[in-house]
């Protein structure tokens, strides 16, 4: 029986296939650019929909303040639990894991607290629409 095997060196693509592929890629890129300009233009032309809504900015601010407060409470709970478990742990390796976990929780809380004011300041500097009417500073 004769077995058919695939050649080790595939035949190179003819020049016509390469130019056709390049032309198709250029057409696809041009189509994407044109569609994105046409699709984005109506959104850019609108006034700030978030700021013009009745209660939406205050709801966003309240949600951000609530989640920040819950994150800080979560940090306190995790910190206290890790400290309590660390007191009753004899193994040095486990104590190091608890310390790493506490540091990780602290980093997360710092990011949570810094993110809102950073967005408010940077967003107003970059003229982002949400930063103009929503204050994300949790205090």
């Amino acid at each position: 029986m004769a077995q058919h095997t695939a050649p080790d060196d595939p035949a190179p693509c003819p020049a016509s296939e390469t130019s056709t592929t390049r032309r198709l890629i250029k057409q696809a890129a041009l189509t994407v650019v044109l569609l994105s300009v046409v699709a984005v233009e109506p959104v850019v032309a609108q006034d700030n929909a978030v700021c013009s809504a009745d209660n939406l900015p205050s709801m966003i601010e309240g949600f951000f303040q609530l989640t920040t407060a819950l994150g800080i409470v979560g940090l306190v709970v995790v910190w206290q639990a890790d400290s309590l478990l660390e007191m009753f742990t004899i193994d040095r390796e486990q104590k190091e894991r608890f310390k790493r976990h506490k540091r990780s929780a602290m980093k997360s809380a710092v990011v949570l607290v810094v993110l809102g004011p950073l967005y408010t300041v940077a967003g107003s500097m970059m003229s982002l629409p949400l930063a103009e009417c929503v204050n994300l500073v949790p205090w």
Side-chain angles (χ1 to χ4, degrees):
M1 273 197 226
Q3 292 181 355
H4 295 287
T5 59
D8 290 336
D9 284 332
C13 294
S16 62
E17 287 182 21
T18 305
S19 64
T20 304
T21 305
R22 287 182 184 164
R23 187 169 33 97
L24 287 174
I25 291 173
K26 287 180 184 178
Q27 287 178 348
L30 182 63
T31 304
V32 167
V33 169
L34 289 176
L35 283 176
S36 65
V37 168
V38 171
V40 171
E41 186 177 341
V43 174
V44 173
Q46 292 178 358
D47 289 332
N48 192 351
V50 173
C51 293
S52 63
D54 291 336
N55 294 328
L56 191 58
S58 62
M59 287 173 57
I60 293 172
E61 289 173 6
F63 177 76
F64 190 79
Q65 289 173 354
L66 178 68
T67 55
T68 303
L70 288 175
I72 293 171
V73 169
L75 167 71
V76 171
V77 168
V78 166
W79 191 277
Q80 292 300 319
D82 282 346
S83 296
L84 181 66
L85 290 172
E86 192 178 347
M87 285 185 340
F88 294 112
T89 302
I90 298 173
D91 188 16
R92 185 174 186 83
E93 193 174 302
Q94 284 182 336
K95 285 185 179 187
E96 286 299 319
R97 275 191 266 151
F98 286 130
K99 286 182 182 180
R100 280 195 310 261
H101 190 252
K102 284 174 23 177
R103 280 193 300 265
S104 174
M106 180 61 82
K107 288 177 188 176
S108 297
V110 166
V111 167
L112 185 67
V113 170
V114 169
L115 197 62
L118 181 66
Y119 178 80
T120 301
V121 170
S124 63
M125 288 173 53
M126 293 187 293
S127 300
L128 295 177
L130 186 63
E132 293 175 3
C133 62
V134 177
N135 184 12
L136 296 179
V137 179
W139 48 83

